[in-house]
Amino acid sequence: MVELKTDTEIAAMREAGRVVARALDAVARHAEPGVPLRELDAVAAGVIADAGARPSFLNYQPHFASSPFPGVICTSVNDVVVHGIPDDYRLAEHDLLSVDCGAELGGFHGDSAVTIPVGGLRDADAKMLEDARSALRAGIEAATAGARMGDMSEAIGRIGRRGGYGIPADFGGHGVGRRMHEDPPVPNEGRPGKGFPLRPGLVIALEPMFMAGGRDGYRIADDGWSLCTIDGSRAVHVEHTVAITEGGPVVLTAA
Ligand code: MG
Ligand code: MG
């Protein structure tokens, strides 16, 4: 069931979104070669706790997982697309790190992700990262009242396919609210004019994920969580929580 949010609820969700933005910013500034992923998790945990919020991901166990998630953030390095576990791995120069963070404040969740080039950005990664950010922007621009889900999904997928990237079909965005994952699903590919009607009060997470090798297949690592590219190629993932309002889309997880 899709729950539309009131203006007051959207304002509350903006506060949760701000906490997520602050946590991601702190993690990005801390992500240097030599730093273990576990340390980034502690940085995010600190920001969320200081804000009086609660990490959404810690101990979260969705239907596809065989164990509760053990981290505050997802840290997905290089060929890991999403859901990487923050462990003892130490970042290396030119790693491509995607960080996904969720926080609950005042009963509402915010959900956002960034991809961070560690040390320098390789030329080979720069275009894919820019394309993912463009796809997110295009999806947000298409998130207007009166449009359909397919308009938004198509805007994201078109940029991904034009770049020749793989797009994992079973994972994408979702409604956000009192639960982190709500209806409706927000696919990363779609057909214009089709799908769920976008109405004021709908709050959704848009999350393009692109895989450099161009294949849509993926594998789940032995840890039961990390979703990896099937060919070992690198991947990017960016995400914002967005409210559809009469006045246009509002990014709730902006800094
Ligand atoms: Mg997320
Ligand atoms: Mg999400």
Side-chain angles (χ1 to χ4, degrees):
M1 197 186 82
V2 174
E3 280 179 33
L4 300 178
K5 279 77 180 177
T6 65
D7 290 350
T8 308
E9 289 170 331
I10 289 172
M13 293 192 73
R14 176 69 178 116
E15 296 312 310
R18 274 188 226 282
V19 175
V20 174
R22 278 207 299 279
L24 286 174
D25 181 60
V27 168
R29 282 185 282 111
H30 204 84
E32 299 282 347
V35 172
L37 297 175
R38 216 179 271 286
E39 200 171 301
L40 299 180
D41 201 61
V43 167
V47 172
I48 291 169
D50 286 351
R54 188 186 71 81
S56 308
F57 296 176
L58 188 64
N59 295 320
Y60 184 62
Q61 187 169 7
H63 63 92
F64 60 80
S66 58
S67 59
F69 191 75
V72 166
I73 52 175
C74 299
T75 49
S76 304
V77 180
N78 297 339
D79 68 317
V80 184
V81 187
V82 288
H83 305 160
I85 292 173
D87 58 13
D88 293 323
Y89 174 79
R90 285 177 186 274
L91 290 167
E93 184 79 20
H94 299 310
D95 273 350
L96 197 56
L97 167 70
S98 296
V99 178
D100 198 338
C101 181
E104 185 205 326
L105 183 69
F108 290 100
H109 294 268
D111 186 10
S112 181
V114 293
T115 293
I116 302 160
V118 178
L121 179 61
R122 300 195 314 183
D123 287 346
D125 296 331
K127 182 171 184 302
M128 180 166 61
L129 181 51
E130 186 44 50
D131 283 344
R133 288 170 175 165
S134 298
L136 180 56
R137 276 195 302 273
I140 292 168
E141 278 169 24
T144 57
R148 296 279 184 146
M149 188 65 74
D151 298 315
M152 206 173 50
S153 298
E154 193 271 343
I156 293 171
R158 174 164 25 95
I159 292 174
R161 292 305 178 194
R162 194 175 62 201
Y165 310 117
I167 300 175
D170 308 329
F171 291 87
H174 49 88
V176 188
R178 293 188 183 276
R179 288 170 299 132
M180 180 168 56
H181 290 135
E182 296 187 347
D183 283 334
V186 181
N188 284 327
E189 288 199 279
R191 290 166 61 198
K194 302 287 184 190
F196 191 84
L198 305 183
R199 297 192 191 93
L202 184 66
V203 178
I204 46 179
L206 284 71
E207 41 185 315
M209 42 192 92
F210 295 157
M211 304 184 285
R215 294 172 62 184
D216 293 345
Y218 58 84
R219 64 179 183 85
I220 304 295
D222 291 342
D223 63 22
W225 277 98
S226 304
L227 192 154
C228 308
T229 61
I230 201 85
D231 53 11
S233 66
R234 290 185 166 200
V236 289
H237 174 225
V238 290
E239 176 180 22
H240 270 309
T241 300
V242 177
I244 291 156
T245 75
E246 297 284 5
V250 178
V251 180
L252 302 178
T253 43

mmCIF file of all heavy atoms in Angstrom, residues 57 100 111-112 172-174 176 180-181 205-207 237 239 241, ligand 2:
data_model
loop_
_atom_site.group_PDB
_atom_site.id
_atom_site.type_symbol
_atom_site.label_atom_id
_atom_site.label_comp_id
_atom_site.label_asym_id
_atom_site.label_seq_id
_atom_site.Cartn_x
_atom_site.Cartn_y
_atom_site.Cartn_z
ATOM 1 N N PHE A 57 19.846 0.948 8.837
ATOM 2 C CA PHE A 57 20.322 -0.308 8.241
ATOM 3 C C PHE A 57 20.740 -1.339 9.284
ATOM 4 O O PHE A 57 20.654 -2.539 9.031
ATOM 5 C CB PHE A 57 21.543 -0.058 7.334
ATOM 6 C CG PHE A 57 21.283 0.798 6.136
ATOM 7 C CD1 PHE A 57 22.331 1.152 5.288
ATOM 8 C CD2 PHE A 57 20.007 1.267 5.841
ATOM 9 C CE1 PHE A 57 22.105 1.940 4.168
ATOM 10 C CE2 PHE A 57 19.771 2.071 4.726
ATOM 11 C CZ PHE A 57 20.836 2.406 3.891
ATOM 12 N N ASP A 100 26.071 3.897 1.206
ATOM 13 C CA ASP A 100 24.624 4.041 1.331
ATOM 14 C C ASP A 100 24.318 4.211 2.818
ATOM 15 O O ASP A 100 24.887 3.496 3.658
ATOM 16 C CB ASP A 100 23.959 2.769 0.779
ATOM 17 C CG ASP A 100 22.487 2.969 0.461
ATOM 18 O OD1 ASP A 100 21.870 3.886 1.021
ATOM 19 O OD2 ASP A 100 21.958 2.169 -0.341
ATOM 20 N N ASP A 111 17.089 8.138 3.220
ATOM 21 C CA ASP A 111 17.905 7.106 2.566
ATOM 22 C C ASP A 111 18.641 7.760 1.404
ATOM 23 O O ASP A 111 17.999 8.347 0.525
ATOM 24 C CB ASP A 111 16.950 5.996 2.081
ATOM 25 C CG ASP A 111 17.663 4.777 1.512
ATOM 26 O OD1 ASP A 111 18.900 4.687 1.654
ATOM 27 O OD2 ASP A 111 16.966 3.928 0.924
ATOM 28 N N SER A 112 19.973 7.665 1.420
ATOM 29 C CA SER A 112 20.754 8.327 0.371
ATOM 30 C C SER A 112 22.082 7.613 0.191
ATOM 31 O O SER A 112 22.575 6.956 1.118
ATOM 32 C CB SER A 112 20.997 9.795 0.767
ATOM 33 O OG SER A 112 21.718 10.486 -0.227
ATOM 34 N N GLY A 172 16.394 -1.530 -7.053
ATOM 35 C CA GLY A 172 16.187 -0.150 -7.488
ATOM 36 C C GLY A 172 15.661 0.658 -6.327
ATOM 37 O O GLY A 172 15.899 0.315 -5.167
ATOM 38 N N GLY A 173 14.931 1.708 -6.638
ATOM 39 C CA GLY A 173 14.410 2.578 -5.594
ATOM 40 C C GLY A 173 13.100 2.060 -5.027
ATOM 41 O O GLY A 173 12.633 0.970 -5.366
ATOM 42 N N HIS A 174 12.486 2.872 -4.162
ATOM 43 C CA HIS A 174 11.343 2.419 -3.350
ATOM 44 C C HIS A 174 10.714 3.609 -2.643
ATOM 45 O O HIS A 174 11.351 4.662 -2.499
ATOM 46 C CB HIS A 174 11.861 1.425 -2.296
ATOM 47 C CG HIS A 174 13.074 1.946 -1.559
ATOM 48 N ND1 HIS A 174 12.981 2.710 -0.435
ATOM 49 C CD2 HIS A 174 14.403 1.881 -1.852
ATOM 50 C CE1 HIS A 174 14.199 3.054 -0.038
ATOM 51 N NE2 HIS A 174 15.097 2.578 -0.893
ATOM 52 N N VAL A 176 9.616 5.647 0.652
ATOM 53 C CA VAL A 176 10.276 5.835 1.955
ATOM 54 C C VAL A 176 9.293 6.548 2.886
ATOM 55 O O VAL A 176 8.519 7.398 2.432
ATOM 56 C CB VAL A 176 11.539 6.716 1.838
ATOM 57 C CG1 VAL A 176 12.315 6.734 3.162
ATOM 58 C CG2 VAL A 176 12.443 6.271 0.704
ATOM 59 N N MET A 180 11.681 2.098 5.999
ATOM 60 C CA MET A 180 12.700 2.495 5.020
ATOM 61 C C MET A 180 12.306 2.054 3.620
ATOM 62 O O MET A 180 12.535 2.772 2.651
ATOM 63 C CB MET A 180 14.055 1.900 5.383
ATOM 64 C CG MET A 180 15.148 2.299 4.395
ATOM 65 S SD MET A 180 16.777 1.893 4.976
ATOM 66 C CE MET A 180 16.614 0.150 5.280
ATOM 67 N N HIS A 181 11.760 0.845 3.505
ATOM 68 C CA HIS A 181 11.335 0.343 2.201
ATOM 69 C C HIS A 181 9.821 0.228 2.176
ATOM 70 O O HIS A 181 9.246 -0.619 2.843
ATOM 71 C CB HIS A 181 11.977 -1.016 1.905
ATOM 72 C CG HIS A 181 13.455 -0.923 1.660
ATOM 73 N ND1 HIS A 181 14.362 -1.794 2.213
ATOM 74 C CD2 HIS A 181 14.180 -0.057 0.923
ATOM 75 C CE1 HIS A 181 15.582 -1.456 1.821
ATOM 76 N NE2 HIS A 181 15.503 -0.404 1.041
ATOM 77 N N ALA A 205 12.680 6.931 -2.859
ATOM 78 C CA ALA A 205 14.128 6.931 -3.045
ATOM 79 C C ALA A 205 14.405 6.546 -4.488
ATOM 80 O O ALA A 205 13.910 5.535 -4.975
ATOM 81 C CB ALA A 205 14.785 5.938 -2.094
ATOM 82 N N LEU A 206 15.183 7.391 -5.175
ATOM 83 C CA LEU A 206 15.646 7.092 -6.528
ATOM 84 C C LEU A 206 17.095 6.656 -6.404
ATOM 85 O O LEU A 206 17.897 7.370 -5.782
ATOM 86 C CB LEU A 206 15.572 8.335 -7.417
ATOM 87 C CG LEU A 206 14.208 8.771 -7.929
ATOM 88 C CD1 LEU A 206 13.358 9.339 -6.825
ATOM 89 C CD2 LEU A 206 14.374 9.829 -9.030
ATOM 90 N N GLU A 207 17.446 5.507 -6.972
ATOM 91 C CA GLU A 207 18.814 5.046 -6.789
ATOM 92 C C GLU A 207 19.382 4.323 -8.004
ATOM 93 O O GLU A 207 19.418 3.103 -8.043
ATOM 94 C CB GLU A 207 18.976 4.213 -5.520
ATOM 95 C CG GLU A 207 17.901 3.214 -5.178
ATOM 96 C CD GLU A 207 18.178 2.576 -3.818
ATOM 97 O OE1 GLU A 207 19.319 2.197 -3.535
ATOM 98 O OE2 GLU A 207 17.219 2.456 -3.028
ATOM 99 N N HIS A 237 26.759 3.756 -7.540
ATOM 100 C CA HIS A 237 25.415 3.807 -6.949
ATOM 101 C C HIS A 237 25.241 5.164 -6.282
ATOM 102 O O HIS A 237 26.051 5.556 -5.440
ATOM 103 C CB HIS A 237 25.276 2.684 -5.909
ATOM 104 C CG HIS A 237 23.989 2.728 -5.138
ATOM 105 N ND1 HIS A 237 23.949 2.567 -3.768
ATOM 106 C CD2 HIS A 237 22.704 2.923 -5.521
ATOM 107 C CE1 HIS A 237 22.692 2.641 -3.356
ATOM 108 N NE2 HIS A 237 21.919 2.847 -4.395
ATOM 109 N N GLU A 239 22.016 7.920 -4.712
ATOM 110 C CA GLU A 239 20.613 7.860 -4.271
ATOM 111 C C GLU A 239 20.218 9.127 -3.512
ATOM 112 O O GLU A 239 21.020 9.665 -2.748
ATOM 113 C CB GLU A 239 20.427 6.652 -3.330
ATOM 114 C CG GLU A 239 19.041 6.538 -2.720
ATOM 115 C CD GLU A 239 18.911 5.320 -1.790
ATOM 116 O OE1 GLU A 239 19.949 4.830 -1.293
ATOM 117 O OE2 GLU A 239 17.773 4.879 -1.572
ATOM 118 N N THR A 241 16.475 10.645 -1.403
ATOM 119 C CA THR A 241 15.061 10.552 -1.052
ATOM 120 C C THR A 241 14.388 11.848 -1.506
ATOM 121 O O THR A 241 14.868 12.940 -1.194
ATOM 122 C CB THR A 241 14.894 10.352 0.468
ATOM 123 O OG1 THR A 241 15.549 9.139 0.846
ATOM 124 C CG2 THR A 241 13.418 10.268 0.850
HETATM 125 MG MG MG B 2 17.180 2.944 -0.923
#
